[in-house]
Amino acid sequence: MSIFKYSYYDTPDGHDLVKKLFYTNKKVSIIGFGLASTEIILVSKPFGYLNTVYRYGQLMGPMFAATTTFCIVTHVATNFRGKDDMLNYAIGGFSTGILTGLLIKQKFLGFWMAVSMACIGAAKKHSKLNNYEFYPTLPTHRKPIYGDFRTPYDNWTVFEPRPKGWVAAEERKQ
């Protein structure tokens, strides 16, 4: 399987660490670049190229560190414990929160992030083990009847089209 078409849950936890790191960091780079660009343009407005690149590093570095930490710690915990269960995700989420708190230099906030990320990680793994959807997703294939905001053929009519052979009341009288 190509590394570009890989999804995180294509292989069980404890296998293919490099592919999982590539997948998660690819997602974070897309989201993080958008969020960092928004912050740079609207809030911080650094002067010069080097300051802009430095600001991107400040904003995107903790994001990359958090996802990498989660993947590596979950991988190590799965292989060390020999089980693929919710505790591995809780350990990965806890270590991610602690590391993020250290990177942003707020240890108290980092502790509460660690606790919340451990709970979220355990809930996510529970959803995967019991086959229910934790994060809602949009359908991959949509066929709207009258169009919607995502189609190039916007039909914003309020009423359904008239059936074939329909004749207006004014025309029937003649």
Side-chain angles (χ1 to χ4, degrees):
M1 173 181 285
S2 171
I3 195 167
F4 295 106
K5 294 185 180 182
Y6 181 80
S7 179
Y8 192 84
Y9 294 105
D10 285 348
T11 56
D13 288 331
H15 301 286
D16 294 336
L17 177 63
V18 174
K19 288 182 180 179
K20 289 180 187 276
L21 284 171
F22 183 79
Y23 175 78
T24 55
N25 285 330
K26 179 177 64 171
K27 297 288 184 185
V28 164
S29 65
I30 295 167
I31 294 168
F33 186 75
L35 291 174
S37 296
T38 304
E39 196 277 339
I40 286 170
I41 291 170
L42 298 176
V43 179
S44 63
K45 301 176 185 171
F47 184 73
Y49 294 116
L50 290 177
N51 289 336
T52 305
V53 170
Y54 178 72
R55 187 66 181 149
Y56 271 110
Q58 279 183 325
L59 295 172
M60 292 178 66
M63 294 180 200
F64 282 115
T67 56
T68 303
T69 301
F70 178 80
C71 286
I72 291 174
V73 170
T74 304
H75 178 81
V76 168
T78 303
N79 288 333
F80 181 72
R81 294 182 62 237
K83 297 179 184 176
D84 187 15
D85 59 356
M86 297 184 309
L87 185 59
N88 298 330
Y89 272 46
I91 293 169
F94 191 83
S95 62
T96 298
I98 292 293
L99 178 79
T100 306
L102 292 174
L103 287 176
I104 62 174
K105 296 177 181 143
Q106 301 221 353
K107 294 176 182 80
F108 187 72
L109 179 65
F111 172 75
W112 288 110
M113 284 176 65
V115 170
S116 62
M117 294 300 268
C119 294
I120 291 170
K124 175 66 177 169
K125 186 61 176 184
H126 185 268
S127 74
K128 281 295 174 188
L129 292 175
N130 295 316
N131 295 326
Y132 65 89
E133 192 173 357
F134 187 68
Y135 300 116
T137 56
L138 292 173
T140 57
H141 187 68
R142 300 169 19 135
K143 284 191 175 182
I145 297 171
Y146 302 111
D148 60 357
F149 293 109
R150 295 183 183 175
T151 58
Y153 307 107
D154 293 330
N155 183 357
W156 297 40
T157 56
V158 179
F159 302 106
E160 295 181 9
R162 297 175 180 156
K164 264 189 171 177
W166 183 83
V167 180
E170 297 85 26
E171 295 175 4
R172 276 187 267 157
K173 292 179 183 177
Q174 297 174 356

